[in-house]
Amino acid sequence: QLQLLTAEADVELDEHGVTNLPVAVNADSLATWFRPVLTAVAARETTALHLFIEDQAYSHDLLRRGEVLAAVTDNPQPVQGCVAQRLGTLRYTATASPTLLERWRHARSVDWSSMPMIVVNEKDHLQDKLLHMMGAARPSVVHRVPSVADFFTAVSCGLGWGLIPELQAMPAIKDGQLVALPGAKPVSVELHWQRWRLDSPTLTTLTDDVLRAARQLRRSR
């Protein structure tokens, strides 16, 4: 926090000064609704964004340890010394390639307990949440693909099924690249923006950028 305030003072005194903003954001947000934030920051030559990619269920730990000044998180309870603002709902659709669906289709549903599944890493429990909703056990084949772009590609190639943000999934479903799995309800994740309670113009401006970009989450409901 002291480094941020000192950097902002330096920028006021020196036009070549730079303010560094360490921020935690989950990969699915970065790949979808958060992108306008990058465009906004790009227009400010004295701000350097330092992104930490972390699952929304764990990003508030980075705030608690003082490693970041702000975070996109699913935790609505403010970390001590922080303020929290609701961003909206990131909705996920269970998808697969048409070929994979035909292989594992079972009447009007699918064989959830046998169809191969894809997760990002050991912190990714979204697919397990859906399996629980469907009353199904985890399949024996679970692939790990630790990149959002590659995760999307792996699902498209038929490696397994996965939950993909609606903002990404809908265009791919419309063009036939992916299909929505029958019987599966969307999985929703409520997102919040937590930031340190600082009198910082740079952090306040970034917060405005994030809240503006998050309007997509409220429109997509």
Side-chain angles (χ1 to χ4, degrees):
Q1 297 178 49
L2 181 59
Q3 289 175 344
L4 172 64
L5 298 177
T6 301
E8 288 183 326
D10 289 343
V11 168
E12 288 294 321
L13 297 173
D14 179 6
E15 63 180 8
H16 300 295
V18 174
T19 301
N20 296 320
L21 284 179
V23 174
V25 59
N26 59 307
D28 286 331
S29 289
L30 183 59
T32 53
W33 67 269
F34 197 84
R35 288 184 174 181
V37 177
L38 307 184
T39 302
V41 174
R44 297 193 287 273
E45 297 180 358
T46 59
T47 299
L49 193 61
H50 293 187
L51 290 179
F52 290 67
I53 307 304
E54 182 57 277
D55 187 274
Q56 64 273 359
Y58 299 88
S59 55
H60 61 279
D61 289 334
L62 297 177
L63 272 173
R64 187 174 289 111
R65 295 198 300 266
E67 295 183 32
V68 299
L69 292 166
V72 175
T73 173
D74 66 1
N75 188 353
Q77 299 302 320
V79 171
Q80 185 174 1
C82 295
V83 293
Q85 294 170 274
R86 182 181 178 275
L87 294 174
T89 304
L90 186 57
R91 288 162 55 93
Y92 292 80
T93 300
T95 61
S97 70
T99 302
L100 189 77
L101 173 59
E102 288 307 311
R103 181 180 177 187
W104 297 100
R105 184 187 291 274
H106 183 70
R108 295 184 178 180
S109 185
V110 295
D111 188 350
W112 292 102
S113 297
S114 300
M115 183 170 55
M117 183 174 84
I118 307 176
V119 299
V120 174
N121 53 37
E122 67 279 359
K123 295 179 178 179
D124 180 11
H125 301 297
L126 278 180
Q127 282 71 212
D128 293 297
K129 181 178 181 179
L130 179 59
L131 288 177
H132 179 74
M133 293 166 58
M134 303 303 297
R138 212 179 210 229
S140 56
V141 177
V142 178
H143 303 283
R144 291 190 183 186
V145 181
S147 152
V148 169
D150 295 333
F151 185 96
F152 182 92
T153 300
V155 174
S156 300
C157 290
L159 185 65
W161 74 272
L163 283 160
I164 294 177
E166 283 189 353
L167 294 168
Q168 282 183 311
M170 289 302 104
I173 290 173
K174 287 180 180 179
D175 67 19
Q177 184 180 4
L178 294 175
V179 289
L181 296 180
K185 295 181 180 180
V187 175
S188 298
V189 176
E190 292 291 324
L191 295 179
H192 305 267
W193 174 250
Q194 292 205 30
R195 53 160 286 186
W196 280 98
R197 192 181 289 109
L198 293 173
D199 185 16
S200 162
T202 307
L203 190 53
T204 297
T205 300
L206 178 67
T207 295
D208 292 340
D209 295 334
V210 171
L211 296 177
R212 191 177 303 112
R215 291 172 184 166
Q216 297 179 61
L217 299 176
R218 297 185 284 277
R219 287 199 300 265
S220 65
R221 296 192 64 179

